[in-house]
Amino acid sequence: MRFLRKYKFQLLRGALQRGFITFIRQAYVIALDSMVRQKHLVFRATHEDIPRGFQQKDSTLSFREISSWKELREDDRKRLFDPQQAIDFGGVDWFDQGWRLWIGEIDGRLAVLGWWRGAKQSRDFFCSLPEDAELLGHVTTLPDSRGLGLHVMLWVTFMQERIKVGVNSFYTNCREYNIPSHRNILRMWYCCIGYCTVNKYTGHRKWHSLFDKETGV
């Protein structure tokens, strides 16, 4: 959990630089998440929402799927697994659980990575997914590559490729306190469809849809 505490501290520090009111808002949602309940925001985008003409302009940046950690450069693996750097890259066993990994490299060096899985591997998600949908999550941009918009470029490039093979919708989520991720998700043409609350003490989990059950709007 070290990386989580470190990330929350970074969010507070960044919020303070943007003003007192922004800091208070960030501190409030972090306090709720840490002491009362987790609130997971859930988003969806369809193949019709994703623009076909979006292209990344950096010729040194390339994306690809990898099927195991061994496909990464040795120095990239060492960096990800270095406890001193506390990089939240996911789980070493996620490949075994059906997750797949999409990475972005700048001049051959790892810069950003993001995981995804199909509907069959996502039965434990906060809401049910259609069979032709995929779940995207856990994007990590390495510290020296932040500020380049790689989160958006990774996902949009990935979604464009998956649409070609018949994927019709994409789902993702982020915690309420993670305001930067929330903003990035909205920039990628996603719409918030609901949220799930998890009580910190009882573990009770409740799904809240933002759509009317009868009309769908």
Side-chain angles (χ1 to χ4, degrees):
M1 298 297 290
R2 177 185 172 190
F3 61 83
L4 187 57
R5 292 192 297 269
K6 181 179 179 181
Y7 184 59
K8 288 182 176 179
F9 175 77
Q10 290 173 341
L11 289 177
L12 286 171
R13 184 173 59 184
L16 183 59
Q17 294 173 349
R18 293 190 294 275
F20 181 72
I21 295 178
T22 302
F23 173 78
I24 291 299
R25 180 192 176 197
Q26 183 69 78
Y28 175 72
V29 292
I30 284 179
L32 281 178
D33 184 88
S34 300
M35 297 183 290
V36 181
R37 54 94 182 112
Q38 295 177 358
K39 185 175 180 180
H40 300 263
L41 308 177
V42 175
F43 305 83
R44 178 181 63 208
T46 71
H47 70 283
E48 296 176 342
D49 299 321
I50 311 303
R52 302 297 188 271
F54 183 94
Q55 293 182 340
Q56 58 89 8
K57 300 178 181 179
D58 188 348
S59 61
T60 66
L61 176 64
S62 61
F63 298 100
R64 63 188 176 99
E65 180 185 351
I66 66 170
S67 57
S68 73
W69 296 114
K70 294 181 179 179
E71 293 184 37
L72 293 174
R73 291 162 40 121
E74 183 177 358
D75 56 342
D76 287 331
R77 293 200 306 271
K78 288 181 178 179
R79 189 175 182 191
L80 289 178
F81 289 91
D82 183 355
Q84 297 301 317
Q85 298 210 28
I87 298 175
D88 181 17
F89 61 86
V92 294
D93 61 340
W94 283 14
F95 285 115
D96 299 330
Q97 297 178 27
W99 285 86
R100 300 167 69 179
L101 186 61
W102 187 258
I103 67 170
E105 298 168 307
I106 298 177
D107 288 328
R109 293 183 60 87
L110 182 66
V112 61
L113 58 85
W115 296 85
W116 90 95
R117 55 180 169 172
K120 291 182 179 180
Q121 293 81 36
S122 305
R123 305 302 187 198
D124 59 343
F125 192 54
F126 304 112
C127 63
S128 59
L129 272 62
E131 292 303 313
D132 58 356
E134 290 184 340
L135 173 62
L136 307 171
H138 210 89
V139 173
T140 302
T141 302
L142 273 64
D144 56 355
S145 299
R146 290 171 185 163
L148 303 176
L150 297 183
H151 185 159
V152 174
M153 285 189 280
L154 177 97
W155 269 15
V156 175
T157 304
F158 162 80
M159 289 187 291
Q160 288 175 330
E161 292 300 313
R162 299 303 294 166
I163 288 171
K164 294 177 184 177
V165 297
V167 179
N168 284 318
S169 58
F170 303 91
Y171 288 71
T172 191
N173 71 283
C174 73
R175 299 263 274 276
E176 180 188 33
Y177 75 83
N178 197 345
I179 297 174
S181 286
H182 187 172
R183 290 172 177 166
N184 276 335
I185 291 168
L186 295 179
R187 288 174 62 197
M188 291 181 281
W189 308 280
Y190 277 78
C191 173
C192 186
I193 62 170
Y195 61 92
C196 181
T197 54
V198 182
N199 187 287
K200 293 286 288 186
Y201 302 99
T202 66
H204 178 69
R205 175 168 153 169
K206 184 176 181 181
W207 167 251
H208 308 260
S209 175
L210 298 182
F211 290 82
D212 185 272
K213 293 182 179 180
E214 294 184 0
T215 65
V217 297

